[in-house]
Amino acid sequence: MALFFREPFVELVMAERTASVERNTLETQIKVSINLDGTGKARFDIGVPFLEHMLDQIARHGLIDLDIECKGDLHIDDHHTVEDVGITLGQAFTQAIGDKKGIVRYGHSYVPLDEALSRVVIDFSGRPGLQMHVPFTRATVGGFDVDLFQEFFQGFVNHALVTLHIDNLRGHNTHHQIETVFKAFGRALRMAIERDPRMAGQMPSTKGVL
């Protein structure tokens, strides 16, 4: 008599990695919704067009769905809005990524755009740290103060709890320098937050916690 054994049915449910965060201060009122396993859809209502253009690079190249609204004190300048969007986006990442079990953890990318080339390396280490070396050739692009991108990334790093190294290796067009940074940032994020099937359920650290 033949015996047939049926393998136990195991349904693997992948937890949704989404978050919605609101942050309100006397300077800015921000809402961020994020899906780390999205398709790159993006909607922005921030009031700073060049920042929105760069955030779109993160969504598109990171395959992350982003929805960001901000009402800020733009009558003063863009500083509070840019910094606080970085902070709130970092908070959303922390919520969405959860305990970090099973992720790749590290990500890196080189991205060229014509004469410009940038490298971004990220570690979801649980330790905030930023090294940003971008020798901007102009102080503004379309009226946007390019120094504010340091504030954006510092805010993100402090609240996403990541180590982030940004290097513009060459370039003389400031728009190209910045765009390669944000495209590389999106690609590095995509690599780092990817679920690694060989690490399923495991913490990518010998310490057992990140």
Side-chain angles (χ1 to χ4, degrees), residues 62-136:
L63 290 180
I64 297 165
D65 293 345
L66 282 178
D67 190 317
I68 303 177
E69 297 179 11
C70 178
K71 294 181 180 179
D73 53 2
L74 298 177
H75 59 285
I76 297 176
D77 68 6
D78 296 343
H79 187 286
H80 298 140
T81 292
V82 175
E83 179 180 20
D84 290 3
V85 166
I87 289 171
T88 314
L89 183 61
Q91 292 173 337
F93 259 84
T94 295
Q95 286 192 24
I97 205 162
D99 63 12
K100 304 176 188 174
K101 288 182 179 178
I103 67 167
V104 173
R105 174 180 169 177
Y106 301 100
H108 64 272
S109 180
Y110 287 80
V111 169
L113 175 56
D114 297 342
E115 87 299 342
L117 174 66
S118 291
R119 175 185 61 214
V120 173
V121 183
I122 192 167
D123 174 13
F124 277 81
S125 59
R127 299 183 303 278
L130 174 65
Q131 291 290 322
M132 182 172 175
H133 303 281
V134 183
F136 295 118

Side-chain angles (χ1 to χ4, degrees), residues 14-15 17 35-40 58-65 93 96-108 122-124 162 185-204 210:
M14 304 299 283
R17 298 191 298 175
N35 179 0
L36 299 185
D37 302 303
T39 58
I58 297 175
R60 188 69 54 87
H61 296 282
L63 290 180
I64 297 165
D65 293 345
F93 259 84
I97 205 162
D99 63 12
K100 304 176 188 174
K101 288 182 179 178
I103 67 167
V104 173
R105 174 180 169 177
Y106 301 100
H108 64 272
I122 192 167
D123 174 13
F124 277 81
V162 299
F185 180 56
R187 297 287 298 189
L189 282 171
R190 179 178 169 184
M191 179 186 293
I193 65 177
E194 193 75 20
R195 289 185 170 106
D196 183 348
R198 296 179 64 194
M199 287 290 292
Q202 299 182 60
M203 185 66 69
L210 287 173

Side-chain angles (χ1 to χ4, degrees), residues 152-163:
F152 169 84
F153 284 114
Q154 190 67 67
F156 178 85
V157 160
N158 288 347
H159 292 269
L161 303 178
V162 299
T163 301

Side-chain angles (χ1 to χ4, degrees), residues 27-74:
E27 298 165 339
T28 58
Q29 297 81 52
I30 302 175
K31 296 179 181 178
V32 172
S33 294
I34 187 171
N35 179 0
L36 299 185
D37 302 303
T39 58
K41 294 183 296 184
R43 188 187 74 87
F44 305 114
D45 183 8
I46 299 171
V48 184
F50 193 66
L51 175 63
E52 293 178 352
H53 178 48
M54 292 302 109
L55 291 170
D56 196 30
Q57 307 306 320
I58 297 175
R60 188 69 54 87
H61 296 282
L63 290 180
I64 297 165
D65 293 345
L66 282 178
D67 190 317
I68 303 177
E69 297 179 11
C70 178
K71 294 181 180 179
D73 53 2
L74 298 177

